[in-house]
C-alpha cells in the first residue's frame, strides 16, 4: 500500500528527462506530465505514471512535492497560471519547485500565488548542463523558506552534488542569472582570446594549455575551451538558450534601472550569433560567430 | 672559483623582486640592475651583486642568461634598445628572457636583434600575481626555440609551478594577452553579476558560494569574487595594469584588423574605472566602478 503520494514532475526536455530519471533511480514514485506526451514514454517504461494535464497531476500528487522544469518563463506561465494552471489546483501543504531558469518577477508572483493556496514554492534552478543532469551532479541554487528546502533536500540529493540556499524566493533565480551572465561573457571572451592568438600564429590548443592553472582558468576554459580547440560544436546547451538567459538578465537590469555595459555588449554578441543562424550550435560555437563576424567585416 | 658567470636580472618591481629572490634561494649567483638603485638593496643583502647599467650587467653575465622583468613595453625598449641598450652589448650565446607583459611586435623585434648578436631570446610572461611570485608558483607562457627553453628551465622551475611552451618567439606574449583578456572580462562580469544580484536583494556571498563548482566557476570567482564580497580592494595587482594589458590586446587586434567587440567593451569599463581615479585599487575593485557608474547615472 502506497501511503505517500507520488512526486510530480512536469517538463521532460533534455534536462527534465534526465532529472526525473535520477529520481526514479533513487526510488521515488513519479507522476509525470509533458506537453509532448511521447516524451513521457521512456519514463513510463521505468514505472512512472502519466497525467494528461497539470490539473490531473495536482490531484494525484495531493500535498506532496511537484517539480516543474520547462523551457522558459512563457512555458512556465502556461503550466502554472490561469484557470487550468497548476497553482489553482494544488492542495494545501503542497510544495511546488521550479527548477527551470525563470524571470525573477514571475518567480515572486508564483510564490505568492502558492501561498494564497496554503501551499509552498521554491525556485531551484540548476547549473551543470545535460551531463550534470545525467550523472546527478548538478548544482542547485535555491530560493525560498529553509523548512521547504529541507523538505526538498532528499530529492535534490538524487539530482545534484551541491545545493546552496541563496535566500528567500527569487534568490535562486538571481544566482542563476549571475551564473548565466558569467558563463556567457566567459565563453565570449575565451573565444575572442583564442581567435586573436590564432590569427597571430599561436596554436590555440597550446594557448589554452598555457592558461590552465593561472588566473584565467575556469570551468569554461577547461570544458568549452577544449570544444573550441576541437571545433566540436554539437550541442550540449544551445546558443539560443544562452541568448534567452542573457536577455533575461538585461531585462532584470533594466527593470531596476541598472547599467551593466559588459553584459549588454555580451548580449549583442549572442544576438549576432543567433541572427547569423548559428543559434543551434553548442555555446562553445560562439567561436564560430567571432570568426564569422570578422570575415563579414574584412572582405577576403 | 666561480667558473659560471652570474645570471642577470633587470627590473626589481613587485614581481621582479620576488622572482629574483626565488632564484637566489635556489642557489643562483645573481647580478641585478634596477632603474631605482635602492630597490636592489634587500637582494644585495642576500648576496646579489649590483650593476650600475644594463651594459655593465651584460659584461658581467657574459654568455649566460639575463632575465628582464620591467613595468611595460616602453621601459623594456629603454632597457633593450639603442646604443646603451642591453642588446647591443650582450655576448654571443647569451640568452635574454623577457618575463614582463610586452607588445607582440616589440617581442619579435627584440628576438631578431638578439639573433643579430649571435644571442638568443625567449618571451616568457607569467600569470599568478605577486603571491605566485613570492611562493614560486607562477605559470610561465614561453615563446622561442625549444633548446633555449630547455636551457632556461632550471631557472623557471625555481620561480614557477608550470611552464608551457606555446610556440616560437611572440607566442608567449600572445598567450599572456589571451590570459589578460579573459581575466579582465571575467572580473568585470563577476562584478556586474554580483552587483545585479545584490541590488535585487540577494546576499553576494551566498550567490558566489552557489556558483562555485558550476559552469560559472573560475579562479577569478574564487579569489577576486571573495575580495568583492569582502570589499577588500588593497592591491594586489592594480586596475591600471589590467587597463594597460587590455589596451595592448586591443592594439594587437587593431594591428591585424580584427574586431573583438567584447574585449573593446571591457576595455571601456577599465578605462572608466581608471578615469574615475579608481586605478590604484586591486583589480577586484572593478566592483566599485560598477557601483559608481550606476550611481552617476541614477541621481539619488
Amino acid at each position: 500500500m502506497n501511503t505517500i503520494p507520488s512526486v510530480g514532475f512536469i517538463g521532460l526536455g533534455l534536462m527534465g528527462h534526465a532529472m526525473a530519471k535520477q529520481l526514479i533511480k533513487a526510488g521515488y514514485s513519479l507522476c509525470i506530465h509533458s506537453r509532448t506526451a511521447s516524451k513521457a514514454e521512456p519514463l513510463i517504461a521505468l514505472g512512472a505514471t502519466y497525467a494528461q494535464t497539470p490539473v490531473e497531476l495536482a490531484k494525484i500528487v495531493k500535498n506532496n512535492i511537484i517539480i516543474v522544469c520547462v523551457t522558459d518563463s512563457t512555458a512556465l506561465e502556461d503550466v502554472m497560471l490561469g484557470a487550468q494552471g497548476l497553482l489553482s489546483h494544488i492542495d494545501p501543504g503542497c510544495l511546488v519547485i521550479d527548477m527551470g531558469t525563470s524571470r525573477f518577477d514571475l518567480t515572486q508572483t508564483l510564490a505568492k500565488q502558492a501561498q494564497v493556496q496554503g501551499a509552498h514554492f521554491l525556485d531551484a534552478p540548476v547549473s551543470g548542463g545535460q551531463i550534470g543532469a545525467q550523472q546527478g551532479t548538478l548544482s542547485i541554487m535555491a530560493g525560498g523558506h529553509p523548512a521547504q528546502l529541507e523538505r526538498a533536500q532528499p530529492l535534490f540529493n538524487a539530482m545534484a552534488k551541491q545545493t546552496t540556499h541563496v535566500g528567500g524566493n527569487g534568490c535562486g533565480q538571481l544566482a542563476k542569472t549571475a551564473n548565466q551572465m558569467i558563463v556567457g561573457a566567459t565563453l565570449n571572451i575565451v573565444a575572442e582570446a583564442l581567435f586573436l592568438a590564432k590569427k597571430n600564429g599561436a596554436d590555440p590548443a597550446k594557448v589554452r594549455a598555457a592558461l590552465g592553472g593561472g588566473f584565467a582558468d575556469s570551468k569554461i576554459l577547461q570544458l568549452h575551451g577544449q570544444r573550441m580547440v576541437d571545433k566540436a560544436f554539437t550541442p550540449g546547451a544551445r546558443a539560443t538558450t544562452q541568448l534567452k538567459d542573457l536577455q533575461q538578465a538585461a531585462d532584470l537590469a533594466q527593470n531596476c534601472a541598472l547599467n551593466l555595459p559588459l553584459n549588454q555588449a555580451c548580449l549583442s554578441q549572442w544576438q549576432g550569433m543567433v541572427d547569423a543562424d548559428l543559434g543551434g550550435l553548442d555555446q562553445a560555437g560562439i567561436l564560430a560567430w567571432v570568426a564569422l563576424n570578422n570575415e563579414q567585416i574584412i572582405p577576403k
Side-chain angles (χ1 to χ4, degrees), chain A:
Chain A
M1 200 182 66
N2 194 357
T3 50
I4 300 170
S6 298
V7 167
F9 203 109
I10 298 177
L12 302 172
L14 289 179
M15 294 297 289
H17 188 279
M19 289 154 70
K21 203 169 168 181
Q22 293 296 333
L23 292 175
I24 294 172
K25 264 176 62 183
Y28 287 97
S29 159
L30 283 202
C31 176
I32 60 180
H33 171 75
S34 168
R35 274 188 301 187
T36 314
S38 61
K39 287 189 182 172
E41 284 164 15
L43 296 175
I44 293 171
L46 295 175
T49 58
Y50 187 71
Q52 296 293 333
T53 64
V55 175
E56 186 184 316
L57 183 136
K59 289 196 175 123
I60 294 167
V61 172
K62 298 192 173 70
N63 66 353
N64 201 0
I65 298 176
I66 300 171
I67 293 172
V68 183
C69 187
V70 295
T71 315
D72 55 24
S73 292
T74 308
L76 185 64
E77 285 180 292
D78 285 350
V79 166
M80 292 290 210
L81 300 175
Q84 293 307 306
L86 186 69
L87 291 183
S88 301
H89 298 274
I90 47 175
D91 281 6
C94 178
L95 168 60
V96 177
I97 309 174
D98 173 26
M99 299 192 73
T101 299
S102 311
R103 290 200 329 264
F104 179 61
D105 61 320
L106 175 59
T107 295
Q108 293 181 313
T109 302
L110 298 177
K112 278 176 202 152
Q113 179 88 20
Q115 199 176 16
V116 168
Q117 298 286 116
H120 309 281
F121 185 86
L122 290 175
D123 46 300
V126 302
S127 177
Q130 208 184 330
I131 292 173
Q134 284 163 350
Q135 299 180 342
T137 57
L138 294 168
S139 290
I140 294 176
M141 300 158 246
H145 196 285
Q148 296 303 318
L149 178 55
E150 200 174 322
R151 185 177 167 192
Q153 195 66 59
L155 295 163
F156 288 169
N157 291 345
M159 297 183 276
K161 67 173 195 296
Q162 174 185 305
T163 304
T164 308
H165 183 232
V166 184
N169 274 128
C171 285
Q173 293 298 347
L174 289 176
K176 180 66 193 271
T177 297
N179 189 83
Q180 293 306 87
M181 287 172 66
I182 295 169
V183 166
T186 307
L187 281 161
N188 195 352
I189 200 69
V190 167
E192 286 191 1
L194 292 180
F195 187 74
L196 179 64
K198 185 180 179 187
K199 284 286 170 182
N200 284 283
D203 176 351
K206 290 192 177 161
V207 171
R208 182 191 152 282
L211 270 44
F215 282 157
D217 203 3
S218 65
K219 273 271 163 60
I220 296 290
L221 182 77
Q222 292 298 332
L223 298 176
H224 301 79
Q226 187 59 49
R227 286 184 211 161
M228 290 182 200
V229 165
D230 299 338
K231 295 207 163 63
F233 299 149
T234 310
R238 284 170 214 279
T240 45
T241 304
Q242 184 64 47
L243 175 61
K244 167 184 80 74
D245 293 349
L246 291 182
Q247 186 62 60
Q248 204 158 279
D251 291 346
L252 178 59
Q254 194 173 24
N255 289 347
C256 54
L258 293 183
N259 180 32
L260 303 177
L262 196 71
N263 188 62
Q264 205 62 37
C266 185
L267 172 63
S268 306
Q269 291 309 300
W270 289 92
Q271 185 69 58
M273 179 179 178
V274 170
D275 289 348
D277 280 334
L278 300 175
L281 296 185
D282 184 78
Q283 300 181 347
I286 187 83
L287 179 64
W289 163 245
V290 170
L292 180 65
N293 188 30
N294 277 286
E295 281 160 21
Q296 285 174 335
I297 284 163
I298 313 154
K300 278 192 273 199

